[in-house]
Amino acid sequence: MTRSDPGSWLAPAFGIVAAVTALRLALLVFNRTDLFVDESQYWLWGQGFAFGYYSKPPLIAWVIGAVTALSGSDSPFWVRAPGAVFHGAAAMILAAMAARMGGARAAIWTAACYVTLPMATMGSLLASTDTIMAPFFAAALYFHTRLVETRAPRFALLAGAMAGLAVLAKYVGLYFLLGAALGALLIPALRLGALNWVALLAAFGLVILPNVLWNLDNGMATASHTLDNVRWVRDAKPLNPAGMAAFFLSQFAVFGPVLFAALIWAALHPRVAGTGRLLVFAVPAVLIVCVQALLDRAYANWAASAYFAGTILAVMILLDRPRLLKLSLAVNGGIAIIVPVLTLFPGLTLGPEEPLLARYLGQAALSRQIIDLAQAEGGLPVVADRRDVLADLFYTGQGAGIAVYAPRPAGRPANHYEQAYPLPADLTGPILLVTERPPVCHGAPARMIGTFDLAGGTYAGLPLAAYRMDAGCLDAP
């Protein structure tokens, strides 16, 4: 185990991370994209403290709620600002771990490579559970390293507590425990002893216990949603090799092409000195999500937890190949500059196509049109059957004095809004329904009272319209 004087790496690593983080926050001030559906939902969760929420564990809501309360603002900047800071913190923790494993050069390169990862760039622009998980997963890895060095139970407690906080951010924080268990099974130096395992698991269990109890008290809502994402558990489908290939190739974009190639090389040469203890924390997540993609589907970010240990591993592999490290930094660094700059010009197009960032445009504009229409109709309650429309209505419509509801669920709620904001059973009288499908009321088409300007945004081309109808008609066949 190589140890390095912190003074030889701390200042340059912190300088790099601080400069990138400051630039990200400065550009975020001028970001002109709307909050994405998940971001608006996290903001809404943050308005009320709970130990769990419909589809995610609670930490991201706590962070956004605390930041917006302390800043006194619910602007998109403050909803998103924690991202750059959390990734900066993760970069420094991983650098400290790299310093112990490979010395000062490894630490500085790890800080620079991690803070410019494409996934860190995107996680600094959009509020994400992966981002909130990042420093806690990184800290769990760091304290596990210290535990392996010293066998001191205090590091077992710290590693377990940090892993628990990672799980409170996103359930894939459990990959840390999988990596620690595989390490103990495959690598003698990583065997912790019974006392340390008890301490680690006890601290982990204590931290996640409130969320476990919340799930038990709420019909296992978050756990059920997680199973919805892993749909093959409930509904087997034909194998999807194209989906698996697409997911695997997408990791070159998530982690960066040079670093992911280095990670593949390391996985194919596991006996290279010092790599095994990192491989057990990096490779399983990628392999598991590849299997998930083969059996059903997988989003590109689902293996993000692999790249905390993976960054250190790739740097260690490439440390004697400085040209490749510089190439990686140039590619990922270029992405780290170009992508946030694009958010300053969200209407930018390539030819006659929709804006490049259309997915992050149009949410607030639609909400304002709906609210204006509801107010013009005498303050009608609004019911919308799309989760993304509801998410922004609650965010953009805060303080407008318009009640917003989801349709009453026919069975298990399909989203947070059906769970927490269903149309009240005792609500009578007219409502404003926003939907793509013209509704029928008492055997006749409901009266359309408005359409919307949806050009150039995420809803472009959708047949969304507003209908005035009796609330009771929503329950009619």
Side-chain angles (χ1 to χ4, degrees):
M1 189 74 68
T2 302
R3 292 176 178 79
S4 174
D5 175 12
S8 63
W9 67 267
L10 185 57
F14 181 78
I16 293 168
V17 172
V20 173
T21 302
L23 178 61
R24 282 175 169 160
L25 290 172
L27 291 174
L28 193 60
V29 172
F30 302 99
N31 187 320
R32 294 173 56 202
T33 60
D34 292 338
L35 291 186
F36 189 57
V37 51
D38 292 337
E39 296 180 288
S40 298
Q41 181 169 276
Y42 301 149
W43 167 83
L44 181 61
W45 290 347
Q47 305 310 295
F49 180 87
F51 285 113
Y53 300 91
Y54 175 81
S55 59
K56 295 290 189 295
L59 197 54
I60 190 167
W62 295 353
V63 170
I64 292 174
V67 170
T68 54
L70 290 171
S71 67
S73 171
D74 292 309
S75 72
F77 173 83
W78 289 110
V79 173
R80 291 166 167 167
V85 177
F86 273 57
H87 275 302
M92 293 305 298
I93 295 167
L94 293 174
M97 181 174 164
R100 303 192 69 82
M101 299 186 70
R105 284 184 64 234
I108 295 168
W109 274 110
T110 294
C113 286
Y114 180 84
V115 81
T116 55
L117 290 182
M119 76 172 196
T121 295
M122 293 305 298
S124 299
L125 287 171
L126 303 169
S128 156
T129 50
D130 290 316
T131 297
I132 303 302
M133 175 181 67
F136 301 109
F137 202 112
L141 292 172
Y142 174 80
F143 288 123
H144 182 267
T145 299
R146 297 303 311 276
L147 175 60
V148 168
E149 291 173 5
T150 66
R151 309 293 165 170
R154 70 180 184 276
F155 291 123
L157 291 170
L158 288 168
M162 292 300 104
L165 288 170
V167 168
L168 288 185
K170 190 171 185 176
Y171 288 144
V172 296
L174 289 166
Y175 284 136
F176 169 81
L177 293 184
L178 175 61
L182 285 174
L185 181 66
L186 300 174
I187 304 172
L190 299 187
R191 291 170 189 165
L192 306 178
L195 177 62
N196 282 324
W197 269 113
V198 169
L200 190 155
L201 292 174
F204 173 82
L206 188 62
V207 170
I208 70 167
L209 181 61
N211 182 247
V212 173
L213 295 176
W214 181 91
N215 266 285
L216 291 173
D217 193 43
N218 288 270
M220 299 300 291
T222 317
S224 294
H225 174 78
T226 302
L227 287 176
D228 290 340
N229 283 335
V230 189
R231 291 182 293 186
W232 57 268
V233 172
R234 292 172 169 166
D235 182 20
K237 294 184 176 182
L239 296 182
N240 183 19
M244 182 177 70
F247 167 77
F248 185 79
L249 292 174
S250 74
Q251 300 312 288
F252 285 95
V254 172
F255 193 35
V258 177
L259 296 181
F260 193 61
L263 182 59
I264 294 171
W265 188 92
L268 296 175
H269 300 82
R271 296 188 181 277
V272 174
T275 61
R277 65 183 56 219
L278 294 168
L279 281 171
V280 295
F281 290 105
V283 172
V286 177
L287 292 180
I288 289 171
V289 183
C290 279
V291 172
Q292 159 66 23
L294 176 65
L295 295 174
D296 184 11
R297 60 175 180 133
Y299 292 116
N301 68 308
W302 281 8
S305 64
Y307 305 126
F308 305 124
T311 300
I312 302 174
L313 176 57
V315 167
M316 299 281 281
I317 292 294
L318 298 175
L319 207 54
D320 294 330
R321 301 169 178 83
R323 289 185 178 178
L324 288 178
L325 277 174
K326 291 176 182 177
L327 174 62
S328 176
L329 193 59
V331 172
N332 289 358
I335 294 170
I337 293 172
I338 292 170
V339 173
V341 168
L342 285 177
T343 68
L344 312 186
F345 309 97
L348 184 66
T349 62
L350 296 178
E353 302 296 326
E354 290 184 350
L356 291 174
L357 301 182
R359 190 184 189 202
Y360 308 104
L361 299 174
Q363 288 90 343
L366 174 61
S367 293
R368 285 191 288 268
Q369 293 177 71
I370 294 171
I371 291 163
D372 289 345
L373 188 56
Q375 290 174 335
E377 292 290 318
L380 289 184
V382 173
V383 179
D385 56 8
R386 287 182 60 108
R387 184 176 75 96
D388 47 2
V389 173
L390 286 165
D392 197 83
L393 275 171
F394 277 97
Y395 176 73
T396 299
Q398 57 181 306
I402 298 296
V404 177
Y405 301 108
R408 286 187 285 270
R412 185 168 63 88
N415 55 57
H416 170 71
Y417 305 96
E418 289 189 4
Q419 179 191 54
Y421 301 97
L423 184 69
D426 59 354
L427 183 69
T428 59
I431 60 167
L432 184 72
L433 176 66
V434 178
T435 183
E436 298 172 63
R437 298 173 294 278
V440 174
C441 185
H442 301 307
R447 181 165 66 93
M448 180 192 294
I449 60 171
T451 57
F452 307 107
D453 179 5
L454 306 175
T458 190
Y459 302 115
L462 292 180
L464 281 170
Y467 300 85
R468 184 182 178 114
M469 59 187 292
D470 188 86
C473 290
L474 289 184
D475 295 323

